[in-house]
Amino acid sequence: LQVIKEPGKSATSDKWMWLIRGGPPNQPVVTFDYDASRSAAVPSRLLEGFSGVLQTDGYVGYNQVCRDTDITRMGCWDHARRKFVDATKAIPATKKRVSKKSKAELALNKIRQLYAIEKQIKELSPEKRYEQRQKLSIPILNDFKTWLDKNICKIAKDSLTYTAMFYALNQWDTLIRYCDDGQLYISNILAENAIRPLAIGRRNWLFSDTPKGADASAACYSLIETAKANGLEPYKYILHILQNIAEADTVENLKNYCPRIALNCNN
C-alpha cells in the first residue's frame, strides 16, 4: 500500500495493510491494520495475547511470534498449489502435447484429491471432518510426501517445479496440520477473500495520503468485511449504524453496533 506522507519513508516505497480473520466459527471477525513495516514485530504486535492456531503462507516474518508465544503455525495449501500451477504454466506448449504428464502436473493431481475430499466433507461436523481426514486425506498426504522426497532430486534446481517441491517439503509439517482438527481449513482462502476488495479498490484510489488516512481505510474495511463474514448486507449495516449510533452513550452501548453483534440490522 502506498502512503504518500509516511514519516521517514519515500512516497513510492511499499507499506503494508495486514489482515487477520479469526474468532468463533459462528461470529468471525476481520481486522485490517496498517503498518509501514513488514517486519516480524508487526505480527508480534497484532497477535499479542493470542493463543491458538495461526494459518499463513510461508512468510518467515511469522516465525518469531510462533516461537515466542503459545501459537501453533499452520500452512496453506492454496499457496503450495499455486507454485505448482506456475510451474505447469511455464511448460512449453510443445511439451504439453506429449502424453506423459510433468511432475508439476502429477503433484497438482495429488493436491486436487485433497481438495476434493474437503468439498465432500465440508457440511459435516468438525468431529466427522476430522475422522474423514484421518481416513481419506492422511494416506494421500503420506503418499505425496514420499513422492516429493523421491522426485525432488530429479528436478533442476533452477526450475519452477523444484521451487514448488522445495516449498511443499519445507512447509510440510505446517501444511498437514489441518488434519489435526476438524475446525481447521485446508487453506486461508477466507482471509484472502476478505482482503481482495482492498486489492481491487487500490487500483482505483491508488494510495492513501497520510497514515491516518490508511488507518481510517483499515477501520472501514474491518467493519464492512466483518459484516459480510457474519451474513450482513453492508449497505444496510452502515445505514443502521448511521441512523442509531448517536444513542451509543457508553462504550458498552457502542459495542452493540459491532458487526457480529448487530445481526438484527440485516432484517
Side-chain angles (χ1 to χ4, degrees):
L1 176 68
Q2 284 194 14
V3 179
I4 304 302
K5 298 172 184 174
E6 174 66 53
K9 297 271 189 177
S10 68
T12 56
S13 65
D14 287 335
K15 296 87 179 179
W16 307 94
M17 189 69 82
W18 296 73
L19 178 140
I20 298 175
R21 189 188 193 279
N26 62 335
Q27 286 189 320
V29 176
V30 179
T31 300
F32 288 75
D33 190 279
Y34 166 71
D35 200 293
S37 171
R38 201 188 179 210
S39 73
V42 182
S44 294
R45 171 176 64 81
L46 294 175
L47 296 165
E48 183 179 1
F50 171 74
S51 62
V53 177
L54 174 65
Q55 186 172 31
T56 71
D57 60 9
Y59 175 51
V60 297
Y62 299 109
N63 291 346
Q64 180 178 325
V65 69
C66 293
R67 284 194 304 265
D68 297 345
T69 62
D70 187 23
I71 294 177
T72 301
R73 181 78 175 271
M74 179 176 159
C76 167
W77 273 103
D78 274 16
H79 288 85
R81 181 177 61 180
R82 283 182 200 134
K83 295 184 183 300
F84 287 107
V85 170
D86 291 342
T88 61
K89 289 179 178 178
I91 299 172
T94 53
K95 289 188 177 181
K96 287 183 179 179
R97 289 196 289 267
V98 178
S99 59
K100 185 178 179 181
K101 288 185 178 296
S102 68
K103 286 184 169 54
E105 291 170 318
L106 292 172
L108 279 175
N109 285 339
K110 295 177 185 294
I111 296 173
R112 288 190 189 105
Q113 294 177 48
L114 298 173
Y115 277 83
I117 293 169
E118 293 305 302
K119 184 177 180 180
Q120 176 185 335
I121 67 176
K122 67 177 183 178
E123 300 300 333
L124 300 179
S125 68
E127 293 75 20
K128 291 293 184 181
R129 282 200 296 272
Y130 170 79
E131 292 175 5
Q132 291 300 303
R133 286 171 178 170
Q134 296 299 307
K135 178 182 176 181
L136 302 174
S137 302
I138 291 295
I140 296 172
L141 287 164
N142 290 339
D143 174 70
F144 191 19
K145 174 66 160 55
T146 300
W147 181 87
L148 288 169
D149 286 332
K150 179 181 178 182
N151 285 280
I152 191 170
C153 59
K154 302 176 183 179
I155 303 296
K157 291 188 176 182
D158 60 350
S159 69
L160 290 176
T161 299
Y162 181 90
T163 299
M165 295 173 75
F166 181 83
Y167 179 90
L169 286 171
N170 189 52
Q171 299 290 321
W172 191 259
D173 289 343
T174 67
L175 286 171
I176 64 174
R177 194 153 282 145
Y178 78 99
C179 290
D180 293 346
D181 191 322
Q183 297 182 91
L184 303 177
Y185 295 95
I186 193 171
S187 77
N188 65 355
I189 188 65
L190 293 175
E192 292 205 359
N193 286 344
I195 207 167
R196 187 170 289 115
L198 181 140
I200 294 172
R202 186 181 52 195
R203 298 174 188 172
N204 297 313
W205 44 260
L206 301 179
F207 58 84
S208 293
D209 186 47
T210 65
K212 285 187 176 181
D215 289 338
S217 292
C220 290
Y221 276 104
S222 296
L223 283 173
I224 291 172
E225 290 304 316
T226 301
K228 289 162 62 176
N230 284 275
L232 298 175
E233 201 286 315
Y235 173 79
K236 290 183 178 180
Y237 169 64
I238 297 298
L239 184 63
H240 173 78
I241 291 178
L242 294 175
Q243 290 176 335
N244 297 280
I245 200 167
E247 301 173 4
D249 53 356
T250 67
V251 172
E252 287 303 314
N253 288 340
L254 190 62
K255 289 180 180 179
N256 292 332
Y257 293 94
C258 292
R260 63 177 188 164
I261 296 175
L263 296 177
N264 63 344
C265 75
N266 199 35
N267 297 328

